[in-house]
Amino acid sequence: MSHHSSLFDSYSIRRVRPPKNKIGTSAKHDSAISHVMGTATYVDDIAKPQGTLHLAVGKSSHAHARVLSMDLSAVRDADGVVDVLSFKDLPAQTDIGAVFDGEPLMVDDITEYVGQTLFVVVATSHRAAKKAATKAVVEYETLPAVLSIDKALEQELFVRPSHFMKRGDAATALENAPIRIEGHIHMRGQEHFYLEGQVSYVVPCDDGGLEVYTSSQHPSEVQQLVAEVTDLPFHAVNTVVRRMGGGFGGKETQAAAWACLCGIIAKRHNVPVSMRLDRQDDMVVTGKRHEFANRYEVGLDESGRILGVDMQLAGLCGYAPDLSDAIVDRAMFHCDNAYYYPAAHVAGHRCKTHTVSNTAYRGFGGPQGLMTAEYMMDHIAYTLGQDPLQVRLANLYQDGQSTHYGQTIEHFDLAAIMTKLADDCDYDDRRQQILEANQKAAAEGSDKRLGLALTPVKFGISFTVQTLNQAGALVHIYTDGSIHLNHGGTEMGQGLYIKIAQIVANEFDVDLDTVKVSATRTDKVPNTSPTAASSGTDINGKAAQNACLNIKARILEFAAEHFDVAQEDIRFEKNHVYIGDKETLTFAEMIQLSYQNRISLSSTGYYKTPKIFYDRSKAWGRPFFYFALGAACAEVEIDTLTGEYKVLRCDVLHDAGQSINPAIDIGQIEGGFVQGMGWLTAEELIWNDKGKLASDSPANYKIPTAHDLPKQWNVKLYDRKNEEQTIYNSKAVGEPPFMLAASVWCALNNAVASLGDYKNNPELTMPATPEAVLKAVMRMQGTSWDLKTKVDTDTVDSLVKGAEENSDLFNEKAMPQDVRHAKDIDPKEVEGKQTDNQPNAIEHPNVAGARGPAHSE
């Protein structure tokens, strides 16, 4: 029997209006109210029964050392401690590398970064476990540590073979070019700083299986790894992810270790187990955005058009491969940004260092490649005395040209987007006003300078590993007309759930509030791809649509026979089903009638992205289904005495295709922009000369706040359908907006360049902190950063007297602006090769087959 809930409008009301919150409308986030009220349940909010055990890890204090002995007796004797496990106690698989081996769950013999797990403490409370973990006595034999890209390049120390992309003869193009420019740029990494830290909760089941609650972007990988480390089949482990308090890539692979530890203890003791990382621990033991040191040589004609480019991109990967192969690849894919390189040679090095293994982060290497291109464009403009915007426009791709990896450029509206944005924000007039204002400031001796920059973004959408471009969904329709939806994507605050719900509602033309999306579960949709690569809506939306179409086809076939009408005369419209001119049923009545006639009202859905392929051995193909496009114009003011600055105005025009939910998309654009601005201007990761992270808390690592937002900020969507057959011709908006923040950094660079009359490219580093801006200003003015006054060595000695050997008070590690870029190299193992041969580990990785060939983007 059907039931009509008072939560829904009556059908008499629904009949005379369009369905609420269909696609194209700005429906609020499905958890918006519970987020604001604090009632949204995250993993650590789950009510836990008495007897739940809690975990903490003992961490290495050396970057590279041999563990000679570990005395854990005091740990075992501590209050509340139930058990202590080290490497020898692991029951099954010991390596949890996402793609390639090299990431042990705990240290066996050699520790390779400060913070690596030595042992795990099991206690009756989180506090007791944390306190006990500090009581271990560990003896080390220290080994030489490599902590920088320079040292890794010098020693040819890599986590994976170097890779090369080549188009044409770049060497000849450079040799014959009328103008040649060389430059280098160093950019720091970035802490994910999600609001919810890494956390997991595992409950043993009465059938010997495990129920895993995790804050992960990749439920299937967590399921598979927990199964491997506990010696269970995959079907015995069920992973549940309702929501995350942010992910940004930091929970794609790095959430797995904590779930694995909980799984091992839950199976060992047959009780629920919980583990969460405190903020400081989280920052120390989890990977970051990759630091990069890049160099370029570019050949130009007299007008500033690029003739050939030679680039080297070197990523600091940390101690293990993680996803670095694909991340450096994506940096190589995006080192052109939006510009055509007629001849190009691009080298990508995966540098191994004795630091935590770096991992996915919004943009996945793309920003590091893109910023190299944008810095190069500034370099060209200031060398030739041209407006940077004109240099950018002159070098843009044209439809029909191809990238340096072989993908043909199609539907490329970036020139139109940039021109429209320039007109809308009065770029030309403002540029002239800024030139005059800076000239006046120089004449009057003012310390203030203004800068302006308009930069584009071209970002490829798809996982570059073809296997991952697939998704599944499960749709149920109940006899009251309400719809239940489950899919393989995870919700980390980005609004994926509400978008997929809008798609389902749109397929049946019913109100959005009749559709419910439940937690992502591996027992409902198996073998899920990670929610990453900006693909969440694209692939899961299509899978959900496919499930709806399956059910709809069954209903249409039944109704056509039952009412003796043609299928094309039956319409789902305004919460009703119109059966030709014979009958009009409410959606619920049609569903109940179908059920009574034994029509299946449940279906799985599936989607795989078409057209894409990439032959890595040839470094050639079409790795991306389409490109997301956008542009931003930023205006800044700097103080040349202090290096402080303000972002005065920013205008954004971004191509989201036919937006499914404009409010969600604009929110993603704004959030991504600010996060990108943080990476490029404020967030500075610092390790000391012992390999210890010095910027390990909110006290010494600064993310943007509301006060850092542009004083005037305009964000608009470019109104154009995606030419490719994506879900409702929309475009991804997860990662691309992050790179719009390049406009802010380039505007700062422009302001500094004004001090040299725009004839020299400033040596501005990333992040452009006030200190870095001041250093760039002083270099431009020809003054020394070093103080000329005599140092009071007696006072300094008294300050450090008695300090511990590993004190962070005086950090001898080179800061980013002091890092010398190494020479371009061909590593010995790949000398003379243009491509790297795929080792057996890729075809037959030493991990479970269901995880291969690669979980990367």
Side-chain angles (χ1 to χ4, degrees), residues 596-615:
Q596 289 169 350
N597 285 271
R598 299 187 296 178
I599 303 302
S600 172
L601 298 170
S602 174
S603 178
T604 58
Y606 179 76
Y607 175 75
K608 61 179 181 180
T609 309
K611 295 186 177 183
I612 54 175
F613 70 95
Y614 181 66
D615 185 342

PDB file of all heavy atoms in Angstrom, residues 596-615:
ATOM      1  N   GLN A 596       2.704  -3.788  -8.474  1.00  0.00           N
ATOM      2  CA  GLN A 596       1.617  -4.780  -8.448  1.00  0.00           C
ATOM      3  C   GLN A 596       1.663  -5.704  -9.662  1.00  0.00           C
ATOM      4  O   GLN A 596       1.165  -6.837  -9.615  1.00  0.00           O
ATOM      5  CB  GLN A 596       0.269  -4.062  -8.380  1.00  0.00           C
ATOM      6  CG  GLN A 596       0.012  -3.395  -7.036  1.00  0.00           C
ATOM      7  CD  GLN A 596      -1.183  -2.465  -7.055  1.00  0.00           C
ATOM      8  OE1 GLN A 596      -1.729  -2.155  -8.142  1.00  0.00           O
ATOM      9  NE2 GLN A 596      -1.608  -2.003  -5.876  1.00  0.00           N
ATOM     10  N   ASN A 597       2.297  -5.213 -10.730  1.00  0.00           N
ATOM     11  CA  ASN A 597       2.426  -6.035 -11.924  1.00  0.00           C
ATOM     12  C   ASN A 597       3.839  -6.622 -12.057  1.00  0.00           C
ATOM     13  O   ASN A 597       4.249  -7.021 -13.136  1.00  0.00           O
ATOM     14  CB  ASN A 597       2.067  -5.215 -13.162  1.00  0.00           C
ATOM     15  CG  ASN A 597       0.579  -5.004 -13.304  1.00  0.00           C
ATOM     16  OD1 ASN A 597      -0.121  -5.808 -13.904  1.00  0.00           O
ATOM     17  ND2 ASN A 597       0.085  -3.908 -12.715  1.00  0.00           N
ATOM     18  N   ARG A 598       4.531  -6.668 -10.910  1.00  0.00           N
ATOM     19  CA  ARG A 598       5.826  -7.342 -10.805  1.00  0.00           C
ATOM     20  C   ARG A 598       6.885  -6.782 -11.762  1.00  0.00           C
ATOM     21  O   ARG A 598       7.589  -7.505 -12.437  1.00  0.00           O
ATOM     22  CB  ARG A 598       5.666  -8.850 -11.017  1.00  0.00           C
ATOM     23  CG  ARG A 598       4.763  -9.502  -9.986  1.00  0.00           C
ATOM     24  CD  ARG A 598       4.737 -10.990 -10.105  1.00  0.00           C
ATOM     25  NE  ARG A 598       4.175 -11.434 -11.371  1.00  0.00           N
ATOM     26  CZ  ARG A 598       4.072 -12.718 -11.738  1.00  0.00           C
ATOM     27  NH1 ARG A 598       4.522 -13.678 -10.958  1.00  0.00           N
ATOM     28  NH2 ARG A 598       3.531 -13.039 -12.903  1.00  0.00           N
ATOM     29  N   ILE A 599       6.972  -5.461 -11.770  1.00  0.00           N
ATOM     30  CA  ILE A 599       8.025  -4.772 -12.528  1.00  0.00           C
ATOM     31  C   ILE A 599       9.126  -4.393 -11.540  1.00  0.00           C
ATOM     32  O   ILE A 599       8.857  -3.788 -10.496  1.00  0.00           O
ATOM     33  CB  ILE A 599       7.474  -3.501 -13.210  1.00  0.00           C
ATOM     34  CG1 ILE A 599       6.302  -3.863 -14.127  1.00  0.00           C
ATOM     35  CG2 ILE A 599       8.583  -2.801 -13.987  1.00  0.00           C
ATOM     36  CD1 ILE A 599       6.619  -4.870 -15.210  1.00  0.00           C
ATOM     37  N   SER A 600      10.364  -4.750 -11.863  1.00  0.00           N
ATOM     38  CA  SER A 600      11.489  -4.440 -10.976  1.00  0.00           C
ATOM     39  C   SER A 600      11.698  -2.937 -10.899  1.00  0.00           C
ATOM     40  O   SER A 600      11.801  -2.256 -11.926  1.00  0.00           O
ATOM     41  CB  SER A 600      12.763  -5.108 -11.485  1.00  0.00           C
ATOM     42  OG  SER A 600      13.881  -4.667 -10.733  1.00  0.00           O
ATOM     43  N   LEU A 601      11.782  -2.432  -9.678  1.00  0.00           N
ATOM     44  CA  LEU A 601      11.938  -0.993  -9.447  1.00  0.00           C
ATOM     45  C   LEU A 601      13.301  -0.674  -8.818  1.00  0.00           C
ATOM     46  O   LEU A 601      13.457   0.322  -8.114  1.00  0.00           O
ATOM     47  CB  LEU A 601      10.806  -0.491  -8.559  1.00  0.00           C
ATOM     48  CG  LEU A 601       9.407  -0.661  -9.161  1.00  0.00           C
ATOM     49  CD1 LEU A 601       8.335  -0.363  -8.141  1.00  0.00           C
ATOM     50  CD2 LEU A 601       9.251   0.237 -10.392  1.00  0.00           C
ATOM     51  N   SER A 602      14.239  -1.528  -9.081  1.00  0.00           N
ATOM     52  CA  SER A 602      15.599  -1.324  -8.578  1.00  0.00           C
ATOM     53  C   SER A 602      16.562  -1.645  -9.709  1.00  0.00           C
ATOM     54  O   SER A 602      16.324  -2.554 -10.505  1.00  0.00           O
ATOM     55  CB  SER A 602      15.868  -2.245  -7.384  1.00  0.00           C
ATOM     56  OG  SER A 602      17.219  -2.142  -6.986  1.00  0.00           O
ATOM     57  N   SER A 603      17.660  -0.882  -9.778  1.00  0.00           N
ATOM     58  CA  SER A 603      18.637  -1.146 -10.833  1.00  0.00           C
ATOM     59  C   SER A 603      20.011  -0.627 -10.444  1.00  0.00           C
ATOM     60  O   SER A 603      20.140   0.401  -9.775  1.00  0.00           O
ATOM     61  CB  SER A 603      18.212  -0.488 -12.144  1.00  0.00           C
ATOM     62  OG  SER A 603      19.178  -0.704 -13.149  1.00  0.00           O
ATOM     63  N   THR A 604      21.018  -1.359 -10.866  1.00  0.00           N
ATOM     64  CA  THR A 604      22.373  -0.819 -10.818  1.00  0.00           C
ATOM     65  C   THR A 604      22.581   0.030 -12.068  1.00  0.00           C
ATOM     66  O   THR A 604      21.876  -0.121 -13.067  1.00  0.00           O
ATOM     67  CB  THR A 604      23.420  -1.949 -10.800  1.00  0.00           C
ATOM     68  OG1 THR A 604      23.243  -2.757 -11.971  1.00  0.00           O
ATOM     69  CG2 THR A 604      23.278  -2.801  -9.558  1.00  0.00           C
ATOM     70  N   GLY A 605      23.537   0.906 -11.999  1.00  0.00           N
ATOM     71  CA  GLY A 605      23.910   1.715 -13.154  1.00  0.00           C
ATOM     72  C   GLY A 605      25.416   1.695 -13.296  1.00  0.00           C
ATOM     73  O   GLY A 605      26.160   1.496 -12.315  1.00  0.00           O
ATOM     74  N   TYR A 606      25.884   1.904 -14.496  1.00  0.00           N
ATOM     75  CA  TYR A 606      27.327   1.821 -14.741  1.00  0.00           C
ATOM     76  C   TYR A 606      27.707   2.812 -15.831  1.00  0.00           C
ATOM     77  O   TYR A 606      26.915   3.109 -16.729  1.00  0.00           O
ATOM     78  CB  TYR A 606      27.705   0.404 -15.173  1.00  0.00           C
ATOM     79  CG  TYR A 606      29.179   0.234 -15.468  1.00  0.00           C
ATOM     80  CD1 TYR A 606      30.108   0.143 -14.428  1.00  0.00           C
ATOM     81  CD2 TYR A 606      29.647   0.195 -16.773  1.00  0.00           C
ATOM     82  CE1 TYR A 606      31.465   0.022 -14.693  1.00  0.00           C
ATOM     83  CE2 TYR A 606      31.007   0.071 -17.057  1.00  0.00           C
ATOM     84  CZ  TYR A 606      31.907  -0.018 -16.005  1.00  0.00           C
ATOM     85  OH  TYR A 606      33.252  -0.139 -16.264  1.00  0.00           O
ATOM     86  N   TYR A 607      28.927   3.314 -15.733  1.00  0.00           N
ATOM     87  CA  TYR A 607      29.424   4.244 -16.752  1.00  0.00           C
ATOM     88  C   TYR A 607      30.926   4.104 -16.859  1.00  0.00           C
ATOM     89  O   TYR A 607      31.631   3.919 -15.857  1.00  0.00           O
ATOM     90  CB  TYR A 607      29.084   5.686 -16.377  1.00  0.00           C
ATOM     91  CG  TYR A 607      29.677   6.723 -17.319  1.00  0.00           C
ATOM     92  CD1 TYR A 607      29.148   6.929 -18.587  1.00  0.00           C
ATOM     93  CD2 TYR A 607      30.772   7.496 -16.925  1.00  0.00           C
ATOM     94  CE1 TYR A 607      29.689   7.883 -19.454  1.00  0.00           C
ATOM     95  CE2 TYR A 607      31.314   8.455 -17.774  1.00  0.00           C
ATOM     96  CZ  TYR A 607      30.767   8.641 -19.037  1.00  0.00           C
ATOM     97  OH  TYR A 607      31.295   9.577 -19.887  1.00  0.00           O
ATOM     98  N   LYS A 608      31.428   4.167 -18.088  1.00  0.00           N
ATOM     99  CA  LYS A 608      32.870   4.271 -18.316  1.00  0.00           C
ATOM    100  C   LYS A 608      33.111   5.411 -19.295  1.00  0.00           C
ATOM    101  O   LYS A 608      32.380   5.586 -20.268  1.00  0.00           O
ATOM    102  CB  LYS A 608      33.454   2.957 -18.829  1.00  0.00           C
ATOM    103  CG  LYS A 608      32.906   2.463 -20.160  1.00  0.00           C
ATOM    104  CD  LYS A 608      33.583   1.161 -20.562  1.00  0.00           C
ATOM    105  CE  LYS A 608      33.058   0.657 -21.909  1.00  0.00           C
ATOM    106  NZ  LYS A 608      33.709  -0.606 -22.302  1.00  0.00           N
ATOM    107  N   THR A 609      34.128   6.212 -19.021  1.00  0.00           N
ATOM    108  CA  THR A 609      34.406   7.389 -19.829  1.00  0.00           C
ATOM    109  C   THR A 609      34.888   6.970 -21.219  1.00  0.00           C
ATOM    110  O   THR A 609      35.813   6.162 -21.321  1.00  0.00           O
ATOM    111  CB  THR A 609      35.480   8.262 -19.152  1.00  0.00           C
ATOM    112  OG1 THR A 609      35.098   8.495 -17.794  1.00  0.00           O
ATOM    113  CG2 THR A 609      35.636   9.586 -19.871  1.00  0.00           C
ATOM    114  N   PRO A 610      34.301   7.519 -22.276  1.00  0.00           N
ATOM    115  CA  PRO A 610      34.714   7.142 -23.630  1.00  0.00           C
ATOM    116  C   PRO A 610      35.918   7.941 -24.120  1.00  0.00           C
ATOM    117  O   PRO A 610      36.356   8.891 -23.474  1.00  0.00           O
ATOM    118  CB  PRO A 610      33.475   7.484 -24.459  1.00  0.00           C
ATOM    119  CG  PRO A 610      32.893   8.667 -23.753  1.00  0.00           C
ATOM    120  CD  PRO A 610      33.157   8.438 -22.282  1.00  0.00           C
ATOM    121  N   LYS A 611      36.453   7.532 -25.240  1.00  0.00           N
ATOM    122  CA  LYS A 611      37.432   8.269 -26.051  1.00  0.00           C
ATOM    123  C   LYS A 611      38.855   8.288 -25.499  1.00  0.00           C
ATOM    124  O   LYS A 611      39.792   8.583 -26.237  1.00  0.00           O
ATOM    125  CB  LYS A 611      36.977   9.716 -26.277  1.00  0.00           C
ATOM    126  CG  LYS A 611      35.718   9.872 -27.103  1.00  0.00           C
ATOM    127  CD  LYS A 611      35.452  11.348 -27.390  1.00  0.00           C
ATOM    128  CE  LYS A 611      34.232  11.536 -28.286  1.00  0.00           C
ATOM    129  NZ  LYS A 611      34.012  12.947 -28.615  1.00  0.00           N
ATOM    130  N   ILE A 612      39.048   8.064 -24.209  1.00  0.00           N
ATOM    131  CA  ILE A 612      40.364   8.316 -23.623  1.00  0.00           C
ATOM    132  C   ILE A 612      41.306   7.131 -23.781  1.00  0.00           C
ATOM    133  O   ILE A 612      40.900   5.974 -23.715  1.00  0.00           O
ATOM    134  CB  ILE A 612      40.243   8.692 -22.131  1.00  0.00           C
ATOM    135  CG1 ILE A 612      39.461   7.632 -21.366  1.00  0.00           C
ATOM    136  CG2 ILE A 612      39.617  10.053 -21.962  1.00  0.00           C
ATOM    137  CD1 ILE A 612      39.414   7.873 -19.889  1.00  0.00           C
ATOM    138  N   PHE A 613      42.584   7.431 -23.976  1.00  0.00           N
ATOM    139  CA  PHE A 613      43.647   6.423 -23.999  1.00  0.00           C
ATOM    140  C   PHE A 613      44.968   7.172 -23.850  1.00  0.00           C
ATOM    141  O   PHE A 613      45.076   8.359 -24.146  1.00  0.00           O
ATOM    142  CB  PHE A 613      43.628   5.622 -25.309  1.00  0.00           C
ATOM    143  CG  PHE A 613      44.068   6.427 -26.507  1.00  0.00           C
ATOM    144  CD1 PHE A 613      45.387   6.395 -26.951  1.00  0.00           C
ATOM    145  CD2 PHE A 613      43.169   7.247 -27.177  1.00  0.00           C
ATOM    146  CE1 PHE A 613      45.801   7.153 -28.037  1.00  0.00           C
ATOM    147  CE2 PHE A 613      43.577   8.012 -28.275  1.00  0.00           C
ATOM    148  CZ  PHE A 613      44.889   7.965 -28.701  1.00  0.00           C
ATOM    149  N   TYR A 614      45.984   6.468 -23.388  1.00  0.00           N
ATOM    150  CA  TYR A 614      47.312   7.069 -23.288  1.00  0.00           C
ATOM    151  C   TYR A 614      48.347   5.955 -23.263  1.00  0.00           C
ATOM    152  O   TYR A 614      48.288   5.067 -22.415  1.00  0.00           O
ATOM    153  CB  TYR A 614      47.434   7.937 -22.031  1.00  0.00           C
ATOM    154  CG  TYR A 614      48.792   8.595 -21.890  1.00  0.00           C
ATOM    155  CD1 TYR A 614      49.209   9.558 -22.802  1.00  0.00           C
ATOM    156  CD2 TYR A 614      49.659   8.249 -20.868  1.00  0.00           C
ATOM    157  CE1 TYR A 614      50.454  10.168 -22.684  1.00  0.00           C
ATOM    158  CE2 TYR A 614      50.906   8.848 -20.731  1.00  0.00           C
ATOM    159  CZ  TYR A 614      51.301   9.810 -21.652  1.00  0.00           C
ATOM    160  OH  TYR A 614      52.525  10.400 -21.545  1.00  0.00           O
ATOM    161  N   ASP A 615      49.253   5.993 -24.213  1.00  0.00           N
ATOM    162  CA  ASP A 615      50.341   5.027 -24.294  1.00  0.00           C
ATOM    163  C   ASP A 615      51.562   5.641 -23.628  1.00  0.00           C
ATOM    164  O   ASP A 615      52.250   6.485 -24.221  1.00  0.00           O
ATOM    165  CB  ASP A 615      50.622   4.684 -25.760  1.00  0.00           C
ATOM    166  CG  ASP A 615      51.665   3.573 -25.920  1.00  0.00           C
ATOM    167  OD1 ASP A 615      52.412   3.317 -24.948  1.00  0.00           O
ATOM    168  OD2 ASP A 615      51.734   2.974 -27.002  1.00  0.00           O
TER     169      ASP A 615
END
